[in-house]
Amino acid sequence: MTTDEEIRAATAAERREHLALFGSLTDEQWDATSLCSGWRAKEVLAHTTMPFRYSTGAVLRGMLRARGSFDRFADRAARRDAAELSTDELLTSLRDNVDFEWSPPGGGPLGALSHDVIHGLDVSAALGLDDRHASPERCAFVLSGLRPKQLSLFRVDLTGVRLRATDADWSYGEGEVVEGRAQDLLLAVCGRRQPPGRLTGRAADRLAAGSAG
């Protein structure tokens, strides 16, 4: 069983890889569209560093202005911060908080790791930087923590499908087998649209089409 300490160590490792990923981007890549609908790479980094820069009070006030919607607040914050902060400032925010501990409401340490892993893949996968992907182990941590209620939020139909990672010890569901790297399966269950060929199996095209942007 994975401990909270192991998950926090994995989160710090993920953030160090984000420093290498985002630190290598060209101006054109910073402005490139990510797999997270409506966000460029810069908005993604603004969002993943938001927990380091926003107090609980600031989040609550932002949600009030967003009529109680965290998603609406987070989108506004990412766009505003990406416009107001330079890429160097965003990278400094990340660099200074590699070991910062936080948990999304009800998510625990695994929620923080999931947040970073998924959004990191939103950028690296969109840019075709396959050498800059999260480790299979970290992706498997995130996949193992997903529950039917969470999966339903992404509106991905896994009826009659068994997902199986080819680079990690993880599988989920029953039915037609769909295989792929843990990172590609994670993007699929999060509703991200992917290039053809990343997943194999009779239901692969349905999952690769995505639903959440």
Side-chain angles (χ1 to χ4, degrees):
M1 182 176 180
T2 306
T3 66
D4 286 353
E5 289 73 20
E6 290 173 318
I7 293 173
R8 291 189 179 101
T11 302
E14 180 68 17
R15 290 174 184 162
R16 285 191 289 271
E17 290 194 8
H18 283 200
L19 279 171
L21 167 63
F22 286 99
S24 72
L25 299 185
T26 64
D27 290 343
E28 182 180 14
Q29 288 172 322
W30 276 109
D31 285 332
T33 301
S34 76
L35 296 184
C36 196
S37 183
W39 286 358
R40 304 167 300 164
K42 193 174 183 184
E43 278 82 21
V44 172
L45 185 57
H47 177 68
T48 58
T49 57
M50 189 178 78
F52 315 148
R53 293 180 282 104
Y54 283 70
S55 67
T56 300
V59 171
L60 292 175
R61 289 191 295 273
M63 287 183 63
L64 282 174
R65 289 191 291 270
R67 302 191 301 280
S69 170
F70 177 80
D71 288 344
R72 187 180 297 117
F73 157 68
D75 182 63
R76 290 175 179 175
R79 294 174 188 275
R80 180 181 61 247
D81 292 351
E84 295 179 353
L85 300 174
S86 68
T87 56
D88 284 343
E89 287 173 317
L90 290 173
L91 284 168
T92 296
S93 180
L94 175 59
R95 186 178 298 109
D96 290 346
N97 292 280
V98 165
D99 294 309
F100 183 88
E101 294 183 8
W102 76 285
S103 298
L110 184 57
L113 175 62
S114 302
H115 182 260
D116 287 351
V117 169
I118 293 167
H119 285 306
L121 290 173
D122 279 334
V123 173
S124 63
L127 293 175
L129 301 176
D130 280 351
D131 59 334
R132 302 269 189 180
H133 61 271
S135 74
E137 179 184 45
R138 291 198 291 275
C139 289
F141 278 169
V142 176
L143 285 164
S144 296
L146 293 174
R147 298 293 179 263
K149 182 178 179 180
Q150 296 167 302
L151 292 172
S152 68
L153 295 175
F154 296 113
R155 304 185 302 279
V156 175
D157 182 12
L158 296 179
T159 305
V161 174
R162 179 172 178 80
L163 303 176
R164 187 163 62 203
T166 57
D167 57 354
D169 183 17
W170 180 84
S171 62
Y172 178 89
E174 298 295 336
E176 294 283 351
V177 174
V178 173
E179 290 188 323
R181 294 178 301 176
Q183 70 169 49
D184 297 321
L185 292 173
L186 179 56
L187 288 172
V189 300
C190 290
R192 269 49 170 182
R193 188 178 299 276
Q194 298 184 72
R198 295 294 178 90
L199 304 176
T200 61
R202 293 178 61 181
D205 290 344
R206 167 160 59 96
L207 295 181
S211 63

